[in-house]
Amino acid sequence: MTEWLEAQRSIVEAQIKEIDAFRGSSKSLLQETNDLRFLQQITSQNLCDPLEFAPIREVNRDLCDPEKLRTVERLVDELSVALSQHFPRMWSYLSSPLLDFKTAHPKLELSQDRKQVYWRRQPFGEGQSPQPYDSHYSVLAQESFTGGQHYWEVIVQDKPFWMIGVTTGSVDKKASLSQSSSSLGVNNTSWCIYHGDGQYLACHDTQEKQLSVGKRVRKLGILANLQKGELSFYDADAMRLLHSFCVQCTEPLYPIFNPCIDMNGVNTQPLTLFWIKDPWDWHTREEKRELTGTI
């Protein structure tokens, strides 16, 4: 039906151009003061003959049967209800947060669109040997949540080390995260999932719980249901629950991201915030190339 409508739109657009041309010539004729020239132009342009346009095909009335439309509408509503009960990945509250440059650790690099965070490629000084799971190297999202339900996704692909979670508004966004959030996942104001070379840990308040994950997570989904006080992490591709925290706090919650360090060139991949592009941009060659390489 969409393809048929596109074809009909091209026909109608051609007809509109022809009508516009007819209107233009008619206006010029109305301004003609010489009667003889007026009649000559009407004759030469065949304006006395009626215009003939190809008829527009009618939409198949079988597809527009009111009873069938009501049935489809009811099925769509039932499907939406079923999905909302079992899966958090509902576009109605899918969030697409932006990273906050002001809160990024100096050794991190953010993309211009604030959707990706990298480990900045810098050699370590003599005597320095940081661990890949150091929680200093973090960046906050610009927006915070104080109520309702919020869901966002982070593309991790084959990245061997990363930490992703949330932290409360007690973090001073004006201060460097090297000081304010160095305890990510090991205090009572932050919750996160840590991935280290195939192992997954749920971290909060000095407690670590190893998670049983059969298939490697390539896209992590985070659902913050602040009405119920729940924070859940999912394998977003399979919509499989990895772990849920009970979150009871009165301060705003900020998504927080730690790409972890890279020492030997094996952890250079970025953490990428997933977002849905406008559908009218999908068909351009540049956008297709970007989608193929990013999402």
Side-chain angles (χ1 to χ4, degrees), residues 7-208:
Q8 294 304 309
R9 185 179 69 174
S10 299
I11 295 174
V12 172
E13 287 176 348
Q15 293 177 355
I16 291 174
K17 289 182 179 179
E18 189 173 350
I19 292 173
D20 287 339
F22 174 73
R23 290 175 58 191
S25 61
S26 299
K27 287 183 179 179
S28 64
L29 281 173
L30 291 175
Q31 296 173 357
E32 179 61 62
T33 57
N34 186 293
D35 295 340
L36 179 60
R37 263 200 306 267
F38 177 84
L39 294 175
Q40 288 174 340
Q41 290 185 36
I42 286 182
T43 304
S44 64
Q45 298 181 28
N46 297 322
L47 296 179
C48 295
D49 300 328
L51 294 176
E52 294 185 1
F53 296 113
I56 299 176
R57 291 173 53 192
E58 293 185 357
V59 178
N60 189 340
R61 295 187 179 277
D62 291 337
L63 299 177
C64 301
D65 180 71
E67 188 62 31
K68 291 182 179 180
L69 291 176
R70 281 193 292 268
T71 301
V72 172
E73 184 178 2
R74 178 177 54 82
L75 291 174
V76 171
D77 291 342
E78 291 177 357
L79 179 61
S80 298
V81 172
L83 289 175
S84 65
Q85 291 175 348
H86 298 285
F87 301 112
R89 195 181 187 187
M90 296 297 293
W91 307 132
S92 59
Y93 56 88
L94 177 66
S95 176
S96 182
L98 296 175
L99 301 176
D100 189 349
F101 281 103
K102 298 178 182 179
T103 65
H105 189 279
K107 292 187 180 295
L108 297 182
E109 183 174 348
L110 275 59
S111 61
Q112 288 297 320
D113 60 6
R114 294 187 289 170
K115 292 293 185 181
Q116 292 184 320
V117 55
Y118 304 78
W119 171 257
R120 190 189 298 272
R121 296 185 180 93
Q122 290 181 342
F124 289 105
E126 184 177 355
Q128 290 182 314
S129 58
Q131 298 298 316
Y133 51 81
D134 280 352
S135 58
H136 293 64
Y137 310 109
S138 301
V139 59
L140 294 179
Q142 183 172 327
E143 61 181 314
S144 62
F145 310 122
T146 56
Q149 295 186 81
H150 306 274
Y151 178 72
W152 62 100
E153 295 178 350
V154 186
I155 302 170
V156 297
Q157 295 291 9
D158 295 320
K159 187 172 176 63
F161 298 97
W162 47 263
M163 296 180 73
I164 298 171
V166 300
T167 187
T168 67
S170 59
V171 173
D172 183 3
K173 295 186 70 177
K174 296 181 180 179
S176 170
L177 282 187
S178 61
Q179 299 174 352
S180 60
S181 68
S182 60
S183 54
L184 172 62
V186 294
N187 60 18
N188 61 0
T189 60
S190 60
W191 301 259
C192 75
I193 295 292
Y194 166 70
H195 173 259
D197 206 14
Q199 304 248 336
Y200 296 83
L201 297 176
C203 306
H204 170 64
D205 199 13
T206 72
Q207 300 295 317
E208 294 181 352

